[in-house]
Amino acid sequence: MKKKIRLYDSTLRDGAQTKGVNFSLDDKIRISNILDEIGIDYIEGGWPGANPTDDKFFRSLPKLKNAKAVAFGMMRKRGESSHNDPGLNAVLNSGVSSVCLVGKSWDFHVENALKISQNENLDMISDTISFAATRMEEVLFDAEHFFDGYKNNPLYAIQTIKRAFESGASWIILCDTNGGTLPYELKNIIENVKKEIPEKQLGVHFHNDTDNSTYNSIESIRNGVAQVQGTFNGLGERCGNANLVNVAANLVLKMGYECNLKKNISKLTRTSRLIDETLNKESSGNLPFVGSAAFAHKGGLHISAVERDPKSYEHIDPKEIGNERVLVVSNQSGKSNIFNKLKKLKINLNSKDKKVIDFLETIKKQEFLGYAYDGAEASFELLAIRKFKKLKEFYSLESFKVSDEKRKDSNNNFSPFSEASVKILVDNKEFYSAAEGNGPIHALDLALRNALTKFYPNIKKLNLIDYKVRILTPQDGTKALVRVRIESKNEEAKWSTIGVSYNVIDASYIALHDSITYHLLKSQ
């Protein structure tokens, strides 16, 4: 059996540097729980003291069952003692037992960025790591630009990591910070590093600027490294970081390495898509392993060959990674996946049942319209129940009206004002309600609640905790198709619902209606 590899995820910090990505506190908590569930070893939560969101995250750190939460920081500042450096102590006092501290290992940066001597940089590393090691269970030394430093001045680069290790660092992480290292360069560098640092305490972190981060991560492990860092879906600044999905899938399915994620390798596809959905991003269809087109076959010859012998065109069984085979010209594509989802919902049907095939066609039509059920399981469940169990709706909508305007207040400043009215039927009786809110969706939600409370008092326990809108057809400008995802919770659970329309209020109502229905259904 091959040795165990530790997976370190930095999505919540490195991923936040991606153009267009901005984590909310709820996003960070949700993604932490998702990563913890599948067995990631280390989850880097961010940089305490660097921004308010990271500070709030560490104050409300979720209870992790499998992973260790890590706080990121840097060496003490020049002229400060480790005891008195406020930035360093913000990291050490963040409430976690593991920290990853970045230091310079490239002499060029020491002299031109820090503008200090090489010896002073070594002293900063010694002071910081030794101080942190007395306070923390684990200290990881992040050797920034190590590979560039080694190629420029190998003796000094080795000196920096040796000083960190001797000062108490539990792990030495060799970083390819600008993503410029090529695979053939690794063996010699890592062999020389192992003369000073035990391989069981070595890790690597590659950026993807030359499209080699997955290859470099795998080659480093083949050469003895025991920890690999990266982000889910390769998020990160510039060209991103090593994609942990690809690295983990190759290590487990191709190379036989042990890691805690191994027993949950089939959850990688779902996890990848949930993270994209949380960030309101479109999942790339051609991502290796987990993309919607990763096992898609189009054209008569390919489809014929795949149906006879799947190994002809698929390097793994897509089920191993939680993905599915798609035969583009076949009306059976996706059938097994939908059937398995129905079984989980305790909807027991024969896989050849025409109802399943009809339901599959319904799902395809919905997805063509813009629905994405990977991030909205509650809407999928309701769609299935309505199809197979004939759900008795709690109410039916007759009409709604929403108005939004700006009014001048007493200080002559413009303030937004929203009002909504709804007409619904409950047990064939008509009810009307109106409400004001601080936005059109808030007003619509209040109007619905006002109408329903007398029939379903426990609707008061329903809370909407997140609301996201995504443009699906940006080429259409302001008349584009939009998708709304609403996350809700009650005292027992959290769930997500989805709505799609050319009208954002209509899309919001569809998602809101599913959220209310799901809450009432589960709290009966």
Side-chain angles (χ1 to χ4, degrees), residues 73-77 85 101-104 124-125 128-129 141:
M74 62 186 294
M75 299 296 104
R76 67 160 172 81
K77 292 180 180 176
D85 186 294
L101 301 175
V102 61
K104 300 291 186 185
M124 287 169 61
I125 292 171
T128 304
I129 299 298
F141 177 66

Side-chain angles (χ1 to χ4, degrees), residues 196-227:
E196 306 294 339
I197 312 294
E199 64 178 42
K200 66 180 181 180
Q201 290 170 275
L202 274 178
V204 288
H205 187 143
F206 291 98
H207 284 247
N208 198 38
D209 298 71
T210 58
D211 200 25
N212 280 295
S213 59
T214 298
Y215 192 172
N216 285 342
S217 298
I218 291 171
E219 278 298 290
S220 297
I221 289 168
R222 286 184 67 246
N223 283 284
V225 165
Q227 183 191 128

Side-chain angles (χ1 to χ4, degrees), residues 12-13 25 28-29 43-62 69-72 90-91 93-99:
L12 299 180
R13 183 188 65 82
L25 176 61
K28 291 175 80 87
I29 291 173
I43 299 172
E44 188 178 276
W47 191 331
N51 60 73
T53 301
D54 284 0
D55 291 342
K56 288 179 183 177
F57 174 76
F58 282 99
R59 285 200 298 269
S60 54
L61 196 68
V70 184
F72 185 87
V91 176
N93 295 327
S94 61
V96 298
S97 60
S98 300
V99 294

